[in-house]
Amino acid sequence: MAEIHDHDDHHDELLNITSTNYTGINLNSPEWIAIRVALAMSTLIEVFVAAFIIDILHRKKLISESILRIIGSLTAGLMLSGGLVHIYAEAMEHYVETTEHPDYFLPFLIGAITILCLIVVDKAIKVAMDERKHYIERRTGRAMVEKNEIKEIELKTGGEENEPKGFNEENVPSAENEYTVQETDTNNIQGHGHFDIALGTDKWYVAILFLVAISLHSIFAGLGFGTTKSLNIMLQIYAFIILHKGLVAASLCVVMIKHKNVFTTTRFYLVVFTFALSTPIGSFIGIGISNINTEFELVEVVFNCISAGTFLYLSLRELTAMFFDEAERKWWVDVLKIIAFIIGFGFLTALAVWHPHEADSHDH
């Protein structure tokens, strides 16, 4: 019994030393928990400030469409670096630590499967949207044919008293009214009505996919912030989050503005609020389990690989096409978009190189 008691005392002593990390500071004390919660909530404020600035600048027309496309190009560079340099590297590091053998095929396989699934889903959604559009066009066309047949019958059976406006004595449409009718019919048949208002003129769901990818990554970044027992590592993780979270939030807002017919003000800020909560939620979970010997590295590897695959899909397939394929009236705007893309990639790459190793922020 004495040996068991000594073993328990030794375990408690090691746990206390680990929690203070040889600095005399216990990050799980009530005071430091309050500080960590406040730091986590500050990221929420940063996201809303960034979103509010972008929204106001766009509403007041203080930011042009060209500038929005330049910011979008910066976003594509951020996403490419985030997928390749930061998230994938972090996932493989955790995978090697968890499995204890340097085989990287599984993280790459998960990312590749994610990209393939997104391509299939994107194609399925596009086919469904096209079929919906064609259905509306056919229904609108049939309605116009029936309307024209009714008008023709009324013209044949009606007298002078029932002669419709816009027709001459020979019951032939005048040139002006005929042009108006044809223009209206053409607009309806081409689907520039309720369909475009409901679904937008482009792939609006890219913004939702963007939200899911960055929210998943932010949750695990918050977990690292909440579970670390080192004050130095905690501050470095917080600095890493605060340096790029506002920029990513602004990028998300630019993508939503690109599809402003779908993302009304309410939807816009609902998406922003969802992303803003991701880091605090991860931090609160991390703080809650920081005293529990819970191994979640393998789960983090899987979700990080999914997030990395989504980042690569968005940057290489969606965002580059969305912001680079549009023809610019001024050549220097294209040059600025390329520069912005390089800056975005370089900025997040530099942060990833500086970012503290997540292995130091978890208990093993």
Side-chain angles (χ1 to χ4, degrees):
M1 295 294 292
E3 292 180 358
I4 296 176
H5 181 70
D6 292 340
H7 177 73
D8 291 340
D9 291 341
H10 180 65
H11 179 268
D12 293 340
E13 182 180 355
L14 288 176
L15 182 62
N16 183 58
I17 292 175
T18 304
S19 64
T20 58
N21 199 39
Y22 303 102
T23 62
I25 298 176
N26 183 4
L27 295 181
N28 289 322
S29 64
E31 296 82 6
W32 276 101
I33 288 178
I35 293 174
R36 294 164 88 176
V37 169
L39 292 176
M41 294 303 296
S42 68
T43 64
L44 185 146
I45 298 174
E46 179 189 12
V47 169
F48 270 99
V49 169
F52 184 74
I53 291 175
I54 294 294
D55 187 31
I56 291 298
L57 290 177
H58 182 260
R59 287 176 180 273
K60 300 295 184 180
K61 300 186 183 301
L62 298 176
I63 183 170
S64 64
E65 294 294 329
S66 297
I67 295 178
L68 288 176
R69 287 194 289 272
I70 292 172
I71 298 176
S73 302
L74 179 73
T75 303
L78 289 171
M79 297 291 285
L80 182 59
S81 175
L84 281 178
V85 182
H86 174 52
I87 304 178
Y88 246 139
E90 184 177 307
M92 286 187 289
E93 179 184 356
H94 289 171
Y95 178 73
V96 172
E97 292 172 356
T98 304
T99 59
E100 297 182 352
H101 55 83
D103 293 331
Y104 299 114
F105 70 91
L106 184 58
F108 282 113
L109 179 62
I110 295 174
I113 291 175
T114 301
I115 294 174
L116 291 175
C117 290
L118 290 175
I119 292 174
V120 172
V121 171
D122 174 67
K123 185 63 176 178
I125 293 176
K126 189 175 185 304
V127 169
M129 291 173 64
D130 289 342
E131 288 298 321
R132 174 65 176 170
K133 183 176 181 179
H134 294 157
Y135 169 75
I136 292 176
E137 290 176 356
R138 292 193 297 268
R139 187 179 62 180
T140 305
R142 287 196 300 268
M144 294 305 302
V145 169
E146 293 175 358
K147 184 177 180 180
N148 291 334
E149 290 177 352
I150 293 174
K151 285 183 178 181
E152 185 177 355
I153 294 174
E154 290 178 351
L155 290 175
K156 291 180 179 179
T157 58
E160 295 182 356
E161 297 179 357
N162 296 327
E163 184 176 347
K165 295 182 179 180
F167 288 82
N168 54 26
E169 295 178 355
E170 297 176 355
N171 287 331
V172 178
S174 62
E176 181 179 358
N177 286 337
E178 182 180 6
Y179 174 79
T180 304
V181 171
Q182 289 179 354
E183 183 180 23
T184 304
D185 294 349
T186 302
N187 288 335
N188 289 330
I189 293 175
Q190 289 178 349
H192 297 291
H194 179 70
F195 176 79
D196 285 345
I197 296 176
L199 296 180
T201 57
D202 204 347
K203 293 192 282 189
W204 56 271
Y205 50 87
V206 170
I208 303 301
L209 190 59
F210 192 178
L211 170 67
V212 173
I214 58 180
S215 296
L216 277 177
H217 177 62
S218 296
I219 288 174
F220 283 105
L223 277 172
F225 174 78
T227 56
T228 182
K229 301 212 169 30
S230 168
L231 177 62
N232 184 41
I233 296 296
M234 184 197 77
L235 293 177
Q236 289 184 30
I237 294 175
Y238 174 74
F240 174 79
I241 293 173
I242 210 73
L243 280 173
H244 78 286
K245 193 172 180 69
L247 184 59
V248 173
S251 302
L252 175 62
C253 294
V254 170
V255 175
M256 286 192 290
I257 290 174
K258 178 75 175 176
H259 311 283
K260 55 187 176 183
N261 289 338
V262 175
F263 292 97
T264 59
T265 301
T266 302
R267 295 173 181 174
F268 179 90
Y269 282 102
L270 180 62
V271 171
V272 170
F273 181 70
T274 302
F275 173 58
L277 281 179
S278 58
T279 298
I281 288 176
S283 301
F284 298 157
I285 295 174
I287 293 172
I289 66 175
S290 58
N291 283 327
I292 304 175
N293 188 20
T294 303
E295 297 291 339
F296 59 89
E297 280 81 2
L298 191 58
V299 176
E300 185 173 357
V301 167
V302 173
F303 280 99
N304 269 339
C305 291
I306 294 174
S307 180
T310 307
F311 272 45
L312 294 177
Y313 170 83
L314 286 172
S315 62
L316 297 176
R317 179 177 173 87
E318 300 294 348
L319 296 181
T320 52
M322 184 184 300
F323 296 108
F324 277 91
D325 287 353
E326 297 185 16
E328 301 292 344
R329 296 181 179 179
K330 300 178 180 179
W331 63 269
W332 54 267
V333 177
D334 287 319
V335 174
L336 288 179
K337 288 196 296 186
I338 295 173
I339 294 175
F341 180 82
I342 296 174
I343 291 175
F345 183 87
F347 174 74
L348 200 55
T349 299
L351 283 182
V353 172
W354 169 79
H355 185 265
H357 292 287
E358 295 294 334
D360 298 332
S361 64
H362 297 296
D363 295 328
H364 298 287

